[in-house]
Amino acid sequence: MASTRILILGDGQVSDALKMFGFGSHLNDRFSGYADIVLRKFPGYTAEWVKTITTSCMKNIGPTPDYVVLLLGQGDCVRKAGDLRPVTKAKEFGENLKLIVEKITNEIDITLD
């Protein structure tokens, strides 16, 4: 029987996922032997940038994931000192998330649950 595949796609929040006590580490421990955890992290990316790379990312992860977890927002809302990029407006951020979900559900064999 094939393992369940869980894709975690996101910005800098995913960077700490596999560190000790990170959520990816907990998922890996909990589902060891039952699920494959696939991480795709893009630190510094905004939801708009992730939207543009979603298609190529989904085509390059191997077998179709059973579940996709999106962790986005840090690159849209948090700025370091000296970073002059504007913060993404909430409405635009929401629209980008919807488009990412549409790309994932329309371009690979996965359904919304």
Side-chain angles (χ1 to χ4, degrees), residues 34-54:
Y34 299 103
D36 294 326
I37 310 298
V38 180
L39 299 177
R40 288 297 175 266
K41 60 182 180 173
F42 301 96
Y45 274 46
T46 64
E48 184 172 2
W49 294 347
V50 171
K51 178 180 68 179
T52 65
I53 63 167
T54 299

Side-chain angles (χ1 to χ4, degrees), residues 61-72:
I61 60 166
T64 301
D66 298 290
Y67 301 96
V68 178
V69 177
L70 295 175
L71 293 175
L72 296 163

Side-chain angles (χ1 to χ4, degrees), residues 98-111:
K98 287 178 187 175
L99 290 170
I100 291 168
V101 170
E102 285 177 14
K103 280 186 166 210
I104 291 170
T105 57
N106 292 330
E107 295 180 13
I108 64 169
D109 185 23
I110 195 167
T111 58

Side-chain angles (χ1 to χ4, degrees), residues 68-88:
V68 178
V69 177
L70 295 175
L71 293 175
L72 296 163
Q74 184 175 29
D76 293 273
C77 302
V78 179
R79 299 287 181 253
K80 293 182 181 179
D83 187 342
L84 302 177
R85 294 179 297 156
V87 173
T88 306

